[in-house]
PDB file of all heavy atoms in Angstrom:
ATOM      1  N   VAL A 608     -34.358 -39.417 -44.933  1.00  0.00           N
ATOM      2  CA  VAL A 608     -33.194 -40.255 -44.622  1.00  0.00           C
ATOM      3  C   VAL A 608     -33.621 -41.511 -43.860  1.00  0.00           C
ATOM      4  O   VAL A 608     -33.062 -42.597 -44.065  1.00  0.00           O
ATOM      5  CB  VAL A 608     -32.104 -39.454 -43.858  1.00  0.00           C
ATOM      6  CG1 VAL A 608     -32.527 -39.120 -42.440  1.00  0.00           C
ATOM      7  CG2 VAL A 608     -30.792 -40.216 -43.849  1.00  0.00           C
ATOM      8  N   HIS A 621     -25.792 -41.744 -44.588  1.00  0.00           N
ATOM      9  CA  HIS A 621     -25.523 -41.705 -43.145  1.00  0.00           C
ATOM     10  C   HIS A 621     -26.159 -40.500 -42.458  1.00  0.00           C
ATOM     11  O   HIS A 621     -26.534 -39.528 -43.103  1.00  0.00           O
ATOM     12  CB  HIS A 621     -24.003 -41.676 -42.908  1.00  0.00           C
ATOM     13  CG  HIS A 621     -23.323 -42.924 -43.370  1.00  0.00           C
ATOM     14  ND1 HIS A 621     -22.004 -42.960 -43.749  1.00  0.00           N
ATOM     15  CD2 HIS A 621     -23.776 -44.191 -43.517  1.00  0.00           C
ATOM     16  CE1 HIS A 621     -21.680 -44.191 -44.104  1.00  0.00           C
ATOM     17  NE2 HIS A 621     -22.733 -44.957 -43.986  1.00  0.00           N
ATOM     18  N   VAL A 622     -26.222 -40.604 -41.140  1.00  0.00           N
ATOM     19  CA  VAL A 622     -26.723 -39.487 -40.336  1.00  0.00           C
ATOM     20  C   VAL A 622     -25.611 -39.081 -39.372  1.00  0.00           C
ATOM     21  O   VAL A 622     -25.207 -39.868 -38.520  1.00  0.00           O
ATOM     22  CB  VAL A 622     -27.983 -39.891 -39.535  1.00  0.00           C
ATOM     23  CG1 VAL A 622     -28.445 -38.740 -38.649  1.00  0.00           C
ATOM     24  CG2 VAL A 622     -29.089 -40.318 -40.487  1.00  0.00           C
ATOM     25  N   GLY A 623     -25.104 -37.861 -39.521  1.00  0.00           N
ATOM     26  CA  GLY A 623     -23.993 -37.425 -38.668  1.00  0.00           C
ATOM     27  C   GLY A 623     -24.351 -36.283 -37.755  1.00  0.00           C
ATOM     28  O   GLY A 623     -23.546 -35.870 -36.926  1.00  0.00           O
ATOM     29  N   CYS A 624     -25.561 -35.730 -37.917  1.00  0.00           N
ATOM     30  CA  CYS A 624     -25.912 -34.597 -37.058  1.00  0.00           C
ATOM     31  C   CYS A 624     -27.414 -34.473 -36.967  1.00  0.00           C
ATOM     32  O   CYS A 624     -28.160 -35.224 -37.597  1.00  0.00           O
ATOM     33  CB  CYS A 624     -25.298 -33.299 -37.582  1.00  0.00           C
ATOM     34  SG  CYS A 624     -26.118 -32.641 -39.042  1.00  0.00           S
ATOM     35  N   ASP A 625     -27.848 -33.506 -36.185  1.00  0.00           N
ATOM     36  CA  ASP A 625     -29.284 -33.269 -36.058  1.00  0.00           C
ATOM     37  C   ASP A 625     -29.625 -31.818 -36.353  1.00  0.00           C
ATOM     38  O   ASP A 625     -30.637 -31.304 -35.928  1.00  0.00           O
ATOM     39  CB  ASP A 625     -29.772 -33.688 -34.660  1.00  0.00           C
ATOM     40  CG  ASP A 625     -28.811 -33.263 -33.557  1.00  0.00           C
ATOM     41  OD1 ASP A 625     -27.971 -32.385 -33.813  1.00  0.00           O
ATOM     42  OD2 ASP A 625     -28.902 -33.819 -32.445  1.00  0.00           O
ATOM     43  N   THR A 626     -28.711 -31.141 -37.058  1.00  0.00           N
ATOM     44  CA  THR A 626     -28.958 -29.732 -37.367  1.00  0.00           C
ATOM     45  C   THR A 626     -28.709 -29.415 -38.842  1.00  0.00           C
ATOM     46  O   THR A 626     -28.434 -28.266 -39.201  1.00  0.00           O
ATOM     47  CB  THR A 626     -28.053 -28.828 -36.506  1.00  0.00           C
ATOM     48  OG1 THR A 626     -26.701 -29.303 -36.616  1.00  0.00           O
ATOM     49  CG2 THR A 626     -28.483 -28.810 -35.053  1.00  0.00           C
ATOM     50  N   SER A 627     -28.750 -30.429 -39.707  1.00  0.00           N
ATOM     51  CA  SER A 627     -28.569 -30.216 -41.147  1.00  0.00           C
ATOM     52  C   SER A 627     -27.238 -29.560 -41.487  1.00  0.00           C
ATOM     53  O   SER A 627     -27.166 -28.711 -42.373  1.00  0.00           O
ATOM     54  CB  SER A 627     -29.696 -29.343 -41.716  1.00  0.00           C
ATOM     55  OG  SER A 627     -30.903 -29.989 -41.543  1.00  0.00           O
ATOM     56  N   GLN A 628     -26.188 -29.950 -40.769  1.00  0.00           N
ATOM     57  CA  GLN A 628     -24.902 -29.284 -40.967  1.00  0.00           C
ATOM     58  C   GLN A 628     -23.835 -30.170 -41.597  1.00  0.00           C
ATOM     59  O   GLN A 628     -22.890 -29.667 -42.181  1.00  0.00           O
ATOM     60  CB  GLN A 628     -24.370 -28.816 -39.599  1.00  0.00           C
ATOM     61  CG  GLN A 628     -25.174 -27.709 -38.974  1.00  0.00           C
ATOM     62  CD  GLN A 628     -24.811 -26.369 -39.535  1.00  0.00           C
ATOM     63  OE1 GLN A 628     -23.646 -26.025 -39.620  1.00  0.00           O
ATOM     64  NE2 GLN A 628     -25.789 -25.617 -39.959  1.00  0.00           N
ATOM     65  N   CYS A 629     -23.927 -31.478 -41.433  1.00  0.00           N
ATOM     66  CA  CYS A 629     -22.752 -32.302 -41.718  1.00  0.00           C
ATOM     67  C   CYS A 629     -22.707 -32.874 -43.126  1.00  0.00           C
ATOM     68  O   CYS A 629     -21.631 -33.198 -43.628  1.00  0.00           O
ATOM     69  CB  CYS A 629     -22.632 -33.430 -40.696  1.00  0.00           C
ATOM     70  SG  CYS A 629     -23.784 -34.794 -41.008  1.00  0.00           S
ATOM     71  N   GLY A 630     -23.836 -33.039 -43.765  1.00  0.00           N
ATOM     72  CA  GLY A 630     -23.828 -33.516 -45.146  1.00  0.00           C
ATOM     73  C   GLY A 630     -23.595 -35.006 -45.331  1.00  0.00           C
ATOM     74  O   GLY A 630     -23.453 -35.474 -46.457  1.00  0.00           O
ATOM     75  N   ALA A 631     -23.568 -35.773 -44.240  1.00  0.00           N
ATOM     76  CA  ALA A 631     -23.360 -37.226 -44.377  1.00  0.00           C
ATOM     77  C   ALA A 631     -24.539 -37.878 -45.097  1.00  0.00           C
ATOM     78  O   ALA A 631     -24.437 -39.005 -45.569  1.00  0.00           O
ATOM     79  CB  ALA A 631     -23.165 -37.863 -43.004  1.00  0.00           C
ATOM     80  N   CYS A 632     -25.657 -37.161 -45.162  1.00  0.00           N
ATOM     81  CA  CYS A 632     -26.908 -37.733 -45.658  1.00  0.00           C
ATOM     82  C   CYS A 632     -27.244 -37.286 -47.076  1.00  0.00           C
ATOM     83  O   CYS A 632     -28.374 -37.480 -47.533  1.00  0.00           O
ATOM     84  CB  CYS A 632     -28.027 -37.294 -44.723  1.00  0.00           C
ATOM     85  SG  CYS A 632     -28.177 -35.494 -44.714  1.00  0.00           S
ATOM     86  N   VAL A 633     -26.278 -36.678 -47.779  1.00  0.00           N
ATOM     87  CA  VAL A 633     -26.619 -36.092 -49.084  1.00  0.00           C
ATOM     88  C   VAL A 633     -26.970 -37.179 -50.107  1.00  0.00           C
ATOM     89  O   VAL A 633     -26.259 -38.167 -50.257  1.00  0.00           O
ATOM     90  CB  VAL A 633     -25.472 -35.201 -49.603  1.00  0.00           C
ATOM     91  CG1 VAL A 633     -25.729 -34.782 -51.056  1.00  0.00           C
ATOM     92  CG2 VAL A 633     -25.308 -33.980 -48.717  1.00  0.00           C
ATOM     93  N   LYS A 642     -29.883 -32.687 -48.641  1.00  0.00           N
ATOM     94  CA  LYS A 642     -29.620 -33.337 -47.362  1.00  0.00           C
ATOM     95  C   LYS A 642     -30.886 -34.097 -46.962  1.00  0.00           C
ATOM     96  O   LYS A 642     -31.910 -33.489 -46.636  1.00  0.00           O
ATOM     97  CB  LYS A 642     -29.235 -32.293 -46.312  1.00  0.00           C
ATOM     98  CG  LYS A 642     -27.840 -31.724 -46.565  1.00  0.00           C
ATOM     99  CD  LYS A 642     -27.405 -30.675 -45.569  1.00  0.00           C
ATOM    100  CE  LYS A 642     -25.920 -30.377 -45.743  1.00  0.00           C
ATOM    101  NZ  LYS A 642     -25.464 -29.209 -44.963  1.00  0.00           N
ATOM    102  N   ALA A 643     -30.800 -35.394 -46.981  1.00  0.00           N
ATOM    103  CA  ALA A 643     -31.992 -36.215 -46.784  1.00  0.00           C
ATOM    104  C   ALA A 643     -32.532 -36.130 -45.364  1.00  0.00           C
ATOM    105  O   ALA A 643     -33.619 -36.615 -45.082  1.00  0.00           O
ATOM    106  CB  ALA A 643     -31.696 -37.665 -47.144  1.00  0.00           C
ATOM    107  N   CYS A 644     -31.777 -35.509 -44.452  1.00  0.00           N
ATOM    108  CA  CYS A 644     -32.293 -35.336 -43.091  1.00  0.00           C
ATOM    109  C   CYS A 644     -33.115 -34.074 -42.974  1.00  0.00           C
ATOM    110  O   CYS A 644     -33.689 -33.810 -41.925  1.00  0.00           O
ATOM    111  CB  CYS A 644     -31.145 -35.278 -42.087  1.00  0.00           C
ATOM    112  SG  CYS A 644     -30.211 -33.742 -42.169  1.00  0.00           S
ATOM    113  N   THR A 645     -33.160 -33.283 -44.034  1.00  0.00           N
ATOM    114  CA  THR A 645     -33.872 -32.000 -43.910  1.00  0.00           C
ATOM    115  C   THR A 645     -35.232 -32.026 -44.583  1.00  0.00           C
ATOM    116  O   THR A 645     -35.949 -31.045 -44.534  1.00  0.00           O
ATOM    117  CB  THR A 645     -33.079 -30.842 -44.540  1.00  0.00           C
ATOM    118  OG1 THR A 645     -32.870 -31.169 -45.904  1.00  0.00           O
ATOM    119  CG2 THR A 645     -31.768 -30.625 -43.862  1.00  0.00           C
ATOM    120  N   GLY A 715     -20.834 -27.550 -46.913  1.00  0.00           N
ATOM    121  CA  GLY A 715     -21.906 -28.222 -46.171  1.00  0.00           C
ATOM    122  C   GLY A 715     -21.634 -29.679 -45.862  1.00  0.00           C
ATOM    123  O   GLY A 715     -22.531 -30.397 -45.436  1.00  0.00           O
TER     124      GLY A 715
ATOM    125  N   MET B 719     -17.242 -38.438 -36.919  1.00  0.00           N
ATOM    126  CA  MET B 719     -18.483 -38.166 -37.655  1.00  0.00           C
ATOM    127  C   MET B 719     -19.563 -39.215 -37.405  1.00  0.00           C
ATOM    128  O   MET B 719     -20.745 -38.927 -37.521  1.00  0.00           O
ATOM    129  CB  MET B 719     -18.205 -38.029 -39.152  1.00  0.00           C
ATOM    130  CG  MET B 719     -17.446 -36.762 -39.515  1.00  0.00           C
ATOM    131  SD  MET B 719     -18.077 -35.281 -38.678  1.00  0.00           S
ATOM    132  CE  MET B 719     -19.717 -35.179 -39.364  1.00  0.00           C
ATOM    133  N   TYR B1227     -23.490 -28.405 -34.245  1.00  0.00           N
ATOM    134  CA  TYR B1227     -22.625 -27.850 -35.290  1.00  0.00           C
ATOM    135  C   TYR B1227     -23.011 -26.417 -35.661  1.00  0.00           C
ATOM    136  O   TYR B1227     -22.315 -25.773 -36.443  1.00  0.00           O
ATOM    137  CB  TYR B1227     -22.654 -28.737 -36.537  1.00  0.00           C
ATOM    138  CG  TYR B1227     -21.936 -30.054 -36.351  1.00  0.00           C
ATOM    139  CD1 TYR B1227     -22.349 -31.195 -37.013  1.00  0.00           C
ATOM    140  CD2 TYR B1227     -20.825 -30.148 -35.520  1.00  0.00           C
ATOM    141  CE1 TYR B1227     -21.684 -32.400 -36.848  1.00  0.00           C
ATOM    142  CE2 TYR B1227     -20.168 -31.344 -35.339  1.00  0.00           C
ATOM    143  CZ  TYR B1227     -20.598 -32.471 -36.007  1.00  0.00           C
ATOM    144  OH  TYR B1227     -19.933 -33.659 -35.837  1.00  0.00           O
TER     145      TYR B1227
HETATM  146  S1  FES C 863     -27.331 -35.803 -41.127  1.00  0.00           S
HETATM  147 FE1  FES C 863     -28.078 -34.549 -42.679  1.00  0.00          FE
HETATM  148  S2  FES C 863     -26.777 -32.847 -42.578  1.00  0.00           S
HETATM  149 FE2  FES C 863     -26.050 -34.074 -40.914  1.00  0.00          FE
END
Side-chain angles (χ1 to χ4, degrees):
Chain A
V608 71
H621 295 154
V622 177
C624 74
D625 42 18
T626 50
S627 298
Q628 292 279 311
C629 77
C632 61
V633 171
K642 288 179 169 170
C644 72
T645 59
Chain B
M719 290 315 296
Y1227 289 148

